[in-house]
Amino acid sequence: MGFLIFWVGFSVVVGIAASKRNRSGAVWFFLSLIFSPLLAGLFVLALGDSKPLSRYHPGQFVEAEPRPKTFGPILEKKCPDCAEMVKADARICRFCRHEF
């Protein structure tokens, strides 16, 4: 009986750890129930974090796709708000704080 409580308890821990790493906690809970909480826990730790599904992550900005960087001559664009020239890769105008 004690072994069963241990098995289910650690399966819950694996499910919680998986959900904190942006993985399905319920799936990992059932996998650890079927196979082994120790084995499933090691897989969750080895796999690490999954990429978030949305572009915005609570508390921080996660960029979905990397922006291209310019190499060679510095290319500039004109800010639509203040008409100052800023670098082509800029996301925010350094003069008026307009977001591109």
Side-chain angles (χ1 to χ4, degrees):
M1 183 68 179
F3 181 74
L4 183 64
I5 293 172
F6 167 81
W7 195 274
V8 172
F10 277 108
S11 294
V12 169
V13 171
V14 168
I16 292 171
S19 67
K20 289 191 183 226
R21 288 175 169 74
N22 295 326
R23 302 196 179 273
S24 176
V27 170
W28 282 97
F29 169 74
F30 286 117
L31 283 174
S32 65
L33 272 179
I34 294 169
F35 296 109
S36 165
L38 179 63
L39 186 62
L42 289 174
F43 274 118
V44 166
L45 290 176
L47 290 175
D49 288 348
S50 169
K51 291 183 180 177
L53 297 176
S54 66
R55 184 180 173 126
Y56 297 100
H57 191 66
Q60 69 184 25
F61 177 75
V62 177
E63 199 166 335
E65 53 194 45
R67 305 192 97 198
K69 300 289 181 191
T70 56
F71 296 103
I74 298 174
L75 303 175
E76 293 184 331
K77 60 185 173 186
K78 188 182 280 190
C79 176
D81 281 352
C82 66
E84 291 287 339
M85 297 302 287
V86 295
K87 292 182 181 178
D89 290 339
R91 289 190 233 158
I92 298 175
C93 176
R94 65 182 177 142
F95 300 102
C96 67
R97 311 307 275 170
H98 172 76
E99 292 187 26
F100 297 102

